[in-house]
Amino acid sequence: MSDHLKRLAAEKAAECELRSGMKLGLGTGSTAKHFVDIVGERIRLGEHYLCVPTSEATRKQAESLGVPLTTLDQIGEIDVCVDGTDEFDPALSLIKGGGAAHLREKMVALRSKRMVVIADASKKVARLGAFSLPLEIVPFAHSVTAQAIEKAFAGLGIKGEVRQRVKDGAPVVSDNGNLIYDGVNDGIPDPAALAAKLDGITGLVEHGLFVGLCSAVYLASDAGVAVITPSA
Ligand code: 5RP
């Protein structure tokens, strides 16, 4: 996805979603980064926002732009959360967590009156799963938890393998101190069913399936930005 399209999607989301005085959830990743830039620009122009970042990277970026930050503990509810995604399907179910931030992203999305995604067509799929499913797992007995997740995949007829995420030769550790695994799979026919199974696995802190959370996708292309809403 070109940087130009990421910025276009972020601009359209800002135009449609933002009103001075709002409490915002700030997503994570190279697309969400553009939205954080725009919030910073609006604050310099005199608008007011109070924001909850979904990762340490976003917190640092927002701080560097002078964006006022708070915590979910302090405000409890957010007006709108704007984030990127790794995949979205026609129902606007998402796979998130390519940046290992899906736990905080989901906590913020769940406490937002509205969650919207900014993306381009490379994130649009008929069925979720070409992007491996991010999984945040506590370090204690992590391979046992990974096996339980593989069983959950198999129980739903999904061919899957759960692999620890490694970067530069070292295990990826989330902002919360947990390990990141990825569930390579052959497609997720029923995201809600898989999410329900995964929700029941002790040791799996959070998975990257976002079902029923996204209200709209701002989808940028060379023709402009389309606003996609969930189809049944
Ligand atoms: C981070 C995420 C990101 O939103 C997702 O990975 C998309 O990132 P990018 O905009 O860089 O493609 O879920 O955990």
Side-chain angles (χ1 to χ4, degrees), residues 6 28-32 83-86 96-102 105 123:
K6 292 177 191 182
T28 294
S30 60
T31 316
D83 206 342
T85 194
D86 297 301
K96 286 187 49 57
H102 57 281
E105 290 171 333
K123 308 293 179 72

Side-chain angles (χ1 to χ4, degrees), residues 7-219:
R7 171 79 193 193
L8 266 190
E11 280 173 357
K12 187 70 177 174
E15 181 191 318
C16 297
E17 302 286 342
L18 290 186
R19 285 186 306 284
S20 184
M22 278 181 153
K23 294 170 194 159
L24 306 179
L26 301 177
T28 294
S30 60
T31 316
K33 188 170 176 292
H34 286 276
F35 184 78
V36 179
D37 282 340
I38 291 167
V39 172
E41 288 159 21
R42 285 180 169 235
I43 284 167
R44 282 198 295 284
L45 290 172
E47 293 189 7
H48 299 280
Y49 298 100
L50 191 53
C51 302
V52 176
T54 54
S55 63
E56 291 307 306
T58 298
R59 184 178 60 73
K60 283 187 193 125
Q61 185 200 355
E63 277 174 354
S64 76
L65 296 169
V67 172
L69 297 180
T70 185
T71 62
L72 267 185
D73 285 326
Q74 281 173 310
I75 59 169
E77 195 179 46
I78 285 168
D79 293 306
V80 63
C81 165
V82 179
D83 206 342
T85 194
D86 297 301
E87 285 186 349
F88 70 92
D89 73 7
L92 304 194
S93 295
L94 314 175
I95 285 186
K96 286 187 49 57
H102 57 281
L103 170 59
R104 294 189 191 185
E105 290 171 333
K106 195 180 284 187
M107 291 181 77
V108 169
L110 280 164
R111 287 154 186 91
S112 297
K113 289 182 205 160
R114 187 169 160 80
M115 185 253 189
V116 301
V117 153
I118 46 183
D120 79 347
S122 67
K123 308 293 179 72
K124 184 180 173 189
V125 296
R127 187 171 76 165
L128 298 179
F131 193 94
S132 299
L133 181 64
L135 304 153
E136 178 158 346
I137 295 179
V138 292
F140 178 77
H142 54 97
S143 43
V144 173
T145 305
Q147 284 164 24
I149 295 167
E150 284 185 350
K151 271 196 193 150
F153 278 174
L156 289 171
I158 299 169
K159 284 202 190 86
E161 193 188 322
V162 176
R163 298 182 188 153
Q164 188 167 7
R165 195 183 297 180
V166 172
K167 193 175 172 196
D168 301 328
V172 172
V173 176
S174 74
D175 285 344
N176 316 299
N178 295 310
L179 298 171
I180 300 293
Y181 273 68
D182 291 296
V184 183
N185 65 84
D186 65 347
I188 302 170
D190 185 345
L194 180 59
K197 279 242 178 203
L198 297 178
D199 285 343
I201 297 178
T202 307
L204 169 57
V205 185
E206 198 50 79
H207 55 82
L209 285 170
F210 286 46
V211 180
L213 283 175
C214 179
S215 302
V217 174
Y218 289 86
L219 184 63

